[in-house]
Amino acid sequence: MFYEPSAGHGLAYDPFKAIIAPRPIGWISTLSDEGLPNLAPYSFFNAMSSRPPMVGFTSEGMKDSPRNAQATREFVYNLATMPLSQAMSESSVSLPHGENEFDYAGLEMAPSRLVKPPRVARAPAALECRTVHFSELLDLDGKPTDRYLVIGQVIGVYIDEAYIRDGRFDTVAAQSLARCGYRDYAAVDRVFELLRPDER
């Protein structure tokens, strides 16, 4: 099978999101200009740089998270895990502007140290970020797509020490979640090590 996205794929469901998988879930908390908290998961999310550490997410439409991250220049990435999977899903609800997804999903907020948006108290790790790049994505013809890219530089890292083992963050113990397309998710339950040629 081969298809051009502009012509369609002919399948019952779009395979694109399932091919680009697994994808980390960017569980993003922000504050509005009025100081109202917002929490939402984004499956178009990843690390962008290690030095300085940067993460980025893309929103399909100008939603509260990109709007707040652009206006206040701050956001927090919260690690979504298997024990928090239902709450993460609940936080994707479409609420009227200003209503609190933390409350809707039954999640406690914890204060961040260097930015104003709160973090998810039960998340094993969280990254406090300042927005360094915000743009609307353009297509091949230079037309706006109503898709917005937000990149933040990590200025503070919270880790629950219960997940630090032998000097490493234990991804398996945390049971980090990933999106696998459609309504499918995966949790990290095993890892294996591969050495690069120059490390052997």
Side-chain angles (χ1 to χ4, degrees):
M1 172 180 180
F2 177 84
Y3 73 94
E4 298 179 42
S6 60
H9 46 73
L11 299 174
Y13 301 96
D14 186 351
F16 173 74
K17 294 179 182 179
I19 294 169
I20 309 299
R23 301 189 307 279
I25 297 167
W27 205 9
I28 305 299
S29 52
T30 58
L31 283 181
S32 69
D33 276 338
E34 301 89 358
L36 301 172
N38 181 265
L39 178 66
Y42 288 86
S43 67
F44 287 113
F45 168 87
N46 220 316
M48 302 288 151
S49 168
S50 62
R51 293 185 183 177
M54 293 185 183
V55 296
F57 69 96
T58 301
S59 175
E60 301 195 332
M62 181 57 90
K63 300 175 182 176
D64 285 340
S65 299
R67 182 181 294 109
N68 293 346
Q70 180 187 34
T72 67
R73 313 303 292 181
E74 294 182 338
F75 66 90
V76 176
Y77 158 77
N78 303 274
L79 180 63
T81 63
M82 188 63 188
L84 293 169
S85 58
Q86 190 59 47
M88 179 276 297
S89 181
E90 291 292 308
S91 72
S92 70
V93 66
S94 297
L95 295 177
H97 176 71
E99 291 197 21
N100 190 335
E101 291 82 5
F102 282 92
D103 291 343
Y104 183 88
L107 291 164
E108 180 184 351
M109 294 184 287
S112 298
R113 297 216 185 163
L114 303 177
V115 298
K116 292 180 181 177
R119 62 179 172 84
V120 174
R122 289 175 54 207
L127 308 177
E128 300 181 12
C129 303
R130 292 235 168 93
T131 304
V132 294
H133 179 83
F134 183 97
S135 66
E136 182 175 8
L137 299 179
L138 305 178
D139 68 11
L140 286 171
D141 298 319
K143 295 177 182 176
T145 62
D146 195 33
R147 272 58 179 159
Y148 300 89
L149 172 65
V150 181
I151 297 177
Q153 182 169 328
V154 179
I155 62 167
V157 178
Y158 162 79
I159 302 174
D160 183 333
E161 292 186 8
Y163 297 95
I164 298 176
R165 311 277 169 84
D166 300 322
R168 297 183 177 188
F169 180 78
D170 192 332
T171 306
V172 174
Q175 301 179 70
S176 300
L177 281 182
R179 186 76 183 270
C180 293
Y182 315 120
R183 297 293 181 264
D184 300 333
Y185 292 82
V188 176
D189 59 8
R190 63 183 287 265
V191 296
F192 61 94
E193 187 176 78
L194 283 177
L195 298 179
R196 298 176 182 178
D198 58 3
E199 294 174 327
R200 294 174 191 155

